Amino acid sequence: MICTYLLLRPAPESLEALVTYYRDHDVIGAALPYGLRKGELGHPVQNATTVAVVSLWDSQDAYLGWLKAPERKSLIAGMMPLLDGADSITGWSKETDAVSSVDFSVLFGERPVSIRIRTGADTAP
């Protein structure tokens, strides 16, 4: 399995519109047929300048399949007016196993945030 991380930088005054776009177009749900196990979108409640999308995939091949999917290309095209330029999406991935958790830190604006994603069958806190 792999965990992917995307940081999206919304255009000024477009944070809420970007989050609404993700929800209304079921961007995360659209990836399920390609091998997405789960995905989450998050951002700080106040002074947000970045949106994070964290996803768990069956494999690198599954994720690459989603990257090439026509549905994804259409969703990205619809999202681009809500982003702050062509370089507004940063992403990386990390291999993981079925019984671990993945820890990482990101900057939400000026504030560092630590995130733990549990990847095993038992995801209770």
Side-chain angles (χ1 to χ4, degrees), residues 1-6 34-39 53-67 91-102 104 117-119:
M1 285 193 296
I2 66 163
C3 207
T4 60
Y5 314 95
L6 295 176
Y34 292 88
L36 175 69
R37 291 196 174 201
K38 67 178 167 178
V53 181
V54 181
S55 303
L56 183 65
W57 295 84
D58 287 334
S59 66
Q60 183 73 28
D61 287 341
Y63 182 58
L64 292 175
W66 170 243
L67 291 179
W92 67 99
S93 63
K94 179 179 180 179
E95 288 191 36
T96 185
D97 59 44
V99 294
S100 70
S101 61
V102 177
F104 67 102
I117 303 295
R118 296 176 190 265
T119 59

Side-chain angles (χ1 to χ4, degrees), residues 6-8 41-54 104-115:
L6 295 176
L7 296 179
L8 310 175
L41 181 138
H43 63 85
V45 176
Q46 297 178 344
N47 303 321
T49 58
T50 306
V51 173
V53 181
V54 181
F104 67 102
S105 296
V106 296
L107 282 178
F108 279 117
E110 299 293 318
R111 191 177 94 194
V113 176
S114 294
I115 300 173

